[in-house]
Amino acid sequence: MHSPSLFSLSLITASLLSSVALAQEINEIERVETTSSRITGQMNASGYAVSSITEETLSMLSFQHIQESLNYIAGAGVQRGNGQEYLPALRSPVLTGAGACGGILAAEDGIPLRAAGFCNINELFEAHGEVAQRIDVIKGPASALYGSNAIHGVINVITPDTTQQQGQLSLDYGSYGFHRIKLLEGKDFGDSGVGIAASVTRDTGYRTDEGVDQEKVSLRHRLEWNNTVITSGMTYTNLDQETAGYIEGFESYKNTEIAKSNPNPEAFRKAESLRLWSKFDTRFDGGHALSITPYVRNQDMRFRMHFLPGKPLEENGQEGFGVLSQFNYVVTDNFTIDLGIDAEYTEGELVQSQEGATQGSAFLVETIPAGKHYDYDVDATLLAPFFTFNWQHEKWDISLGGRFESMQYDYTNNMNVGRVREDGTECGFGGCRYSRPANSEDDFNNFSPKLSLRYALNAQVQLFGGIARGYRAPQATELYRLQRSQAVTDLDAVTADNVEFGITGASQQGTYTLSIYSLEKDNVIYRNSDFFNVSNGETWHRGVELSFNQQLNETLRVDFAGTYARHTYEHSQISGEQDIKGNDIDTAPKLQFNTRVSYDISSSLQAQVEWQHVASYFTDAENLNKYEGHDLLHARVRYSVNDDITLYARINNLLDAQYAERADFTSFTGPRYFPGRPRNFMVSASFTL
C-alpha cells in the first residue's frame, strides 16, 4: 500500500439557489469562496448558492462527529456509524453500496477529498472539520462546476487562514473517555504569513472494544504582491479506529446491555491521508481574474470488512495529482464569462484477502475461500473543460453554463481471471463468490448543463429557480469488484435531472429560504437478483425545504432547518418476491428537522436548546420493515470569562432517549442497528493566545 508522499441541449441544468442571502448578509456571501466559485471574493458567479455552518455555530457545537453539524442543513440526513464512520444523505435517501459515496462530493477548501472514481463512503473523516472556519453545502446537482459525483450536492470543509488570525488553544473533555486538544497559531508578516492548525482526538467509546485515536494537522502559507496572492496548504490526517459493528434483533438498541455490546471486536480501520495544494489568484486590469490550483493527494487505508462473511481485510490506496482552474472575463458591467479546465491523474490499488476459512453454512464455506479475493490496480485520467455565462441587469441575475468531462480507467488485474480461488482451483456450488474481470480500458464522457435565474421582488425578497443535470461515472469498485458469474460490466454514468424553485428573504429580525425541488435519476447502479452490477435503475427524489432564523427579541433567537421529501424507486426490480417499483427507498425518512433556540442570558452568557427530529422510515426495499424514528434534545451553555477565555458545557441526548443512529434490515440478519449514545456531556475551554 502507498504511504503518504508528494506524488502524487437535453435538459439544461440547475441552479440551486436554495439559500441566496439577503441584503444585510451581502458581505457574508461575498466572503464565500472555493465553493460557489474558485475566484476569491466572487459572489455566486456560477449560479450556486451556499448554505453555510458558521464558525460561531461550530464553536458552540464542537462536534465529536461531523454528522452532528450537518443536522443544521435542510435536506441533509447523514447517519452516523461507529467511530468516525457514517453514511451520507443530501436530498437523497441514506446512500449505501459500492458507489454510494459517488452521489455526494466531499471536499476541503474546494478540492475533492478523493479522485472522482475512487470515493470512500466515510471520506469526510479525512477533512479537518474539527478546526473548520465553516462548512459549506451546495444542495442538488453541482456537476457543472465540480464534475462527477456532485449529483446530490457538495459538502465543502473550509479550513481557517491561520496566517491572519489570532492563536487559539481549545480543550474538550467528555463522557466515555472523549478528550481532544486543538491548536491554531500563525504569524502575519504583512505581505506573507505562515500558520498551523492541529487537533488530537482520543475517544474510548460507549461500546465494548471500540475507540478512536485521530490526529490531524493543516499548514498554511500566504504570499502577496501587487494583484496576486499565492496561498499554499497541507492537510495530513491519521485515524486508528477500533470499530463496533451492528447489533442485531428487533429494537435491540432499547436493551442497554445489547446496545453496549460489540459483536465484532476484531473490526478496525486505519487510514492516512495527505493533501498538498497551492492556489494562485491574480487580478488584471478591467476586473478580470484568474485562479489556478495544482494539488497532490495520497491516501492509504486498511480495514476489516466485518459485515461480510469471512470478514476479509481490505487494503486500498491512491496517489495522484491534478489542477483546478477558473478565468473570469468581464465583458461589460452586466456580463461576465467564466472559463476553466480541470485535469487529474490518479493511480489506485485494492487488495481484499481473507486469512481463515469462512464460518457458516456449507455454501458460504465453499464459495468464500481463504486467500486473496481481489488484487487490482486502476489508473484514472480526467479532463474537464467548463464555461458559465453570467448576466445581471436590474432585478435579474441569470447564469447559463456547462461542463464536459472525460474519465478514462486503465484496469490491471494482478490475479487469475474469473470466479476461482487464488490458486486457480474451482469452488463448488457453481463457483466462488468473488469474480475478477480481465484487464480492460473503460472511458466515460458526460456533459452537464445548467441554467439558474434569480429575480429580486424588492431589496429584501428574491425568487429563484433553475434546472440542472448532474452525473457520476461508475466507481472503480462497481466496475471491477464483481460477484458470481459476472465477468464484465456494461455500466453507464448515473445522471440526475433537477428542477427547483423557491423564495428567499430577509428583514432586520431574520432570514428565510423556502425551496421546492424534483430530481430524477437514471442509470442508477445497483446489484440485481443475479448479483450483477447493472445500471438500469431509476429513482425519483422530490421535496420541500425550509430554513429560517428569527430574532424574537433582544435575547431570544430561533434557527430552523427542515425538509419533507419522498424518495422512490421508479424501475421494476424483483426483491423479496415483489416488484419494488413505486416503493419508498429504504432509509429515507419523509420528515426531518432541526430547531435551535438560543437565549442570551447576558452579554457573556448564552444558553441553547436543540431539538432534532427524524421521522420513521422503511429499512428494506420491500417496505415491510420500519424504524420508528426518534426525537433528541441537546443543551449547551457558553460563558465568556473575558476576551481571551471562553468556557462551554454541553449535554447531548438530554432526555436519555433510546434510539438508533442507523437502522437497517437484511434477509440474513433481520433488523440491525448502530445504537445511539445515552445522555452524555462535554465541557470545553478556549483560550486566545
Side-chain angles (χ1 to χ4, degrees):
M1 292 294 104
H2 303 299
S3 59
S5 69
L6 296 183
F7 298 122
S8 330
L9 245 91
S10 72
L11 190 64
I12 314 180
T13 78
S15 196
L16 2 132
L17 294 169
S18 58
S19 52
V20 177
L22 0 151
Q24 72 185 79
E25 292 184 337
I26 287 294
N27 291 333
E28 184 72 12
I29 299 180
E30 290 178 341
R31 188 175 59 80
V32 173
E33 59 192 68
T34 73
T35 297
S36 64
S37 171
R38 295 167 186 162
I39 304 295
T40 301
Q42 186 177 26
M43 189 182 88
N44 213 24
S46 299
Y48 296 108
V50 181
S51 298
S52 292
I53 308 168
T54 65
E55 184 175 15
E56 180 182 7
T57 300
L58 291 170
S59 295
M60 188 71 168
L61 176 63
S62 191
F63 63 77
Q64 298 181 18
H65 191 291
I66 196 169
Q67 173 262 350
E68 299 170 61
S69 66
L70 296 174
N71 289 332
Y72 297 168
I73 300 296
V78 178
Q79 289 191 344
R80 183 175 178 176
N82 187 250
Q84 289 298 298
E85 298 176 356
Y86 67 93
L87 292 174
L90 183 62
R91 286 191 174 177
S92 70
V94 169
L95 302 174
T96 62
C101 45
I104 301 169
L105 189 140
E108 182 182 80
D109 297 318
I111 301 171
L113 294 172
R114 294 285 181 120
F118 301 90
C119 70
N120 181 270
I121 201 71
N122 304 289
E123 61 196 23
L124 274 171
F125 67 55
E126 294 176 348
H128 206 168
E130 291 81 355
V131 299
Q133 176 181 321
R134 67 181 190 275
I135 299 175
D136 291 344
V137 179
I138 295 175
K139 293 180 285 185
S143 294
L145 180 63
Y146 279 93
S148 187
N149 293 24
I151 282 185
H152 288 280
V154 176
I155 299 172
N156 188 18
V157 175
I158 306 298
T159 59
D161 182 1
T162 48
T163 69
Q164 300 186 85
Q165 72 171 61
Q166 286 184 299
Q168 189 176 73
L169 174 67
S170 299
L171 306 172
D172 299 322
Y173 178 80
S175 302
Y176 310 118
F178 182 88
H179 49 289
R180 178 173 59 199
I181 182 171
K182 297 183 289 186
L183 173 67
L184 288 81
E185 184 62 279
K187 182 65 175 177
D188 186 357
F189 301 106
D191 57 0
S192 65
V194 294
I196 182 173
S199 61
V200 178
T201 302
R202 298 291 182 264
D203 184 2
T204 56
Y206 163 64
R207 300 175 62 190
T208 303
D209 295 323
E210 72 158 316
V212 170
D213 293 345
Q214 190 170 42
E215 302 85 31
K216 300 181 180 182
V217 61
S218 298
L219 303 179
R220 186 68 65 95
H221 179 266
R222 172 180 49 83
L223 179 63
E224 303 178 32
W225 79 92
N226 295 329
N227 294 319
T228 300
V229 179
I230 298 178
T231 306
S232 302
M234 183 206 80
T235 295
Y236 170 76
T237 72
N238 179 63
L239 174 68
D240 186 354
Q241 175 178 297
E242 300 298 323
T243 309
Y246 284 103
I247 58 172
E248 299 175 3
F250 180 68
E251 295 190 344
S252 53
Y253 60 88
K254 294 183 178 180
N255 183 307
T256 302
E257 292 305 313
I258 297 177
K260 292 176 63 177
S261 68
N262 179 9
N264 303 105
E266 75 287 349
F268 71 91
R269 184 183 297 269
K270 298 180 185 296
E272 289 183 282
S273 72
L274 175 69
R275 290 179 302 281
L276 295 166
W277 55 270
S278 190
K279 188 170 190 284
F280 175 91
D281 281 312
T282 190
R283 294 189 177 274
F284 306 94
D285 293 341
H288 317 307
L290 175 67
S291 173
I292 300 176
T293 307
Y295 60 87
V296 297
R297 255 190 318 237
N298 190 295
Q299 280 101 15
D300 178 60
M301 183 161 62
R302 302 173 65 247
F303 73 100
R304 180 70 61 189
M305 304 175 76
H306 58 89
F307 43 85
L308 292 180
K311 302 178 180 178
L313 175 71
E314 178 181 319
E315 302 171 86
N316 64 69
Q318 59 177 276
E319 59 184 24
F321 57 89
V323 62
L324 305 174
S325 67
Q326 182 176 340
F327 177 63
N328 179 245
Y329 182 75
V330 179
V331 181
T332 69
D333 290 342
N334 298 326
F335 183 56
T336 63
I337 300 174
D338 284 293
L339 300 171
I341 186 166
D342 298 342
E344 184 173 81
Y345 175 76
T346 304
E347 296 180 353
E349 61 184 21
L350 183 144
V351 176
Q352 178 181 315
S353 60
Q354 183 174 315
E355 297 172 357
T358 302
Q359 302 298 310
S361 67
F363 176 79
L364 289 177
V365 171
E366 178 63 20
T367 59
I368 305 177
K372 285 199 292 188
H373 300 154
Y374 301 102
D375 183 352
Y376 64 75
D377 300 323
V378 180
D379 297 341
T381 304
L382 179 147
L383 188 65
F386 66 90
F387 69 92
T388 307
F389 301 118
N390 309 291
W391 181 73
Q392 298 171 327
H393 181 67
E394 296 180 349
K395 296 184 177 183
W396 285 97
D397 190 336
I398 300 175
S399 175
L400 173 66
R403 176 189 183 100
F404 176 80
E405 182 167 294
S406 176
M407 167 72 81
Q408 296 182 327
Y409 294 114
D410 185 355
Y411 159 77
T412 302
N413 175 35
N414 299 317
M415 293 181 62
N416 44 31
V417 175
R419 52 185 307 196
V420 296
R421 293 185 176 92
E422 182 182 4
D423 62 8
T425 60
E426 295 186 356
C427 296
F429 296 96
C432 303
R433 168 179 289 196
Y434 301 113
S435 176
R436 297 171 291 275
N439 298 350
S440 66
E441 295 183 1
D442 302 277
D443 60 89
F444 301 90
N445 300 305
N446 292 280
F447 179 67
S448 173
K450 76 176 183 67
L451 170 69
S452 66
L453 308 101
R454 184 167 72 238
Y455 178 76
L457 291 176
N458 53 49
Q460 287 76 38
V461 181
Q462 296 177 339
L463 302 177
F464 61 86
I467 51 179
R469 166 160 286 189
Y471 61 88
R472 75 165 179 88
Q475 302 297 292
T477 51
E478 294 171 316
L479 291 167
Y480 310 120
R481 209 173 189 176
L482 306 184
Q483 291 192 20
R484 288 6 187 236
S485 59
Q486 188 171 24
V488 65
T489 56
D490 184 18
L491 301 179
D492 294 322
V494 182
T495 60
D497 295 321
N498 184 70
V499 179
E500 178 176 4
F501 60 91
I503 185 171
T504 186
S507 68
Q508 292 184 349
Q509 300 301 317
T511 68
Y512 63 87
T513 300
L514 176 67
S515 305
I516 300 174
Y517 70 91
S518 175
L519 184 150
E520 297 183 43
K521 288 171 66 174
D522 199 8
N523 300 326
V524 175
I525 299 171
Y526 65 96
R527 184 163 286 157
N528 67 13
S529 57
D530 294 322
F531 296 91
F532 281 28
N533 288 345
V534 297
S535 59
N536 57 11
E538 298 178 26
T539 58
W540 185 18
H541 313 267
R542 61 277 194 198
V544 180
E545 296 170 352
L546 174 63
S547 299
F548 69 83
N549 60 74
Q550 184 66 38
Q551 194 75 37
L552 301 179
N553 54 43
E554 292 183 356
T555 60
L556 204 59
R557 172 189 169 103
V558 176
D559 292 88
F560 176 88
T563 181
Y564 181 85
R566 287 287 309 278
H567 307 281
T568 54
Y569 298 103
E570 298 299 315
H571 64 281
S572 292
Q573 178 188 349
I574 301 302
S575 179
E577 300 183 351
Q578 68 167 273
D579 191 342
I580 63 173
K581 183 176 182 178
N583 281 10
D584 288 334
I585 301 176
D586 60 278
T587 326
K590 293 183 178 67
L591 178 65
Q592 297 183 85
F593 63 77
N594 182 280
T595 303
R596 285 165 287 146
V597 178
S598 301
Y599 178 50
D600 293 330
I601 301 171
S602 69
S603 60
S604 59
L605 182 63
Q606 182 187 62
Q608 184 181 88
V609 176
E610 175 186 335
W611 174 21
Q612 178 190 350
H613 173 77
V614 177
S616 62
Y617 56 83
F618 293 111
T619 55
D620 59 353
E622 299 80 21
N623 290 181
L624 299 176
N625 296 274
K626 181 180 285 191
Y627 171 65
E628 64 182 359
H630 59 257
D631 291 276
L632 300 176
L633 286 180
H634 312 297
R636 307 179 184 98
V637 175
R638 174 172 56 200
Y639 176 60
S640 298
V641 179
N642 53 44
D643 291 341
D644 297 324
I645 301 175
T646 305
L647 305 178
Y648 301 85
R650 309 170 185 89
I651 301 177
N652 299 315
N653 193 4
L654 183 64
L655 300 183
D656 203 21
Q658 295 176 314
Y659 73 103
E661 293 279 6
R662 168 165 172 76
D664 190 28
F665 181 92
T666 74
S667 58
F668 299 103
T669 65
R672 59 181 189 171
Y673 310 92
F674 278 118
R677 291 189 177 192
R679 182 190 300 117
N680 59 91
F681 75 91
M682 184 166 70
V683 293
S684 305
S686 178
F687 307 92
T688 300
L689 302 178

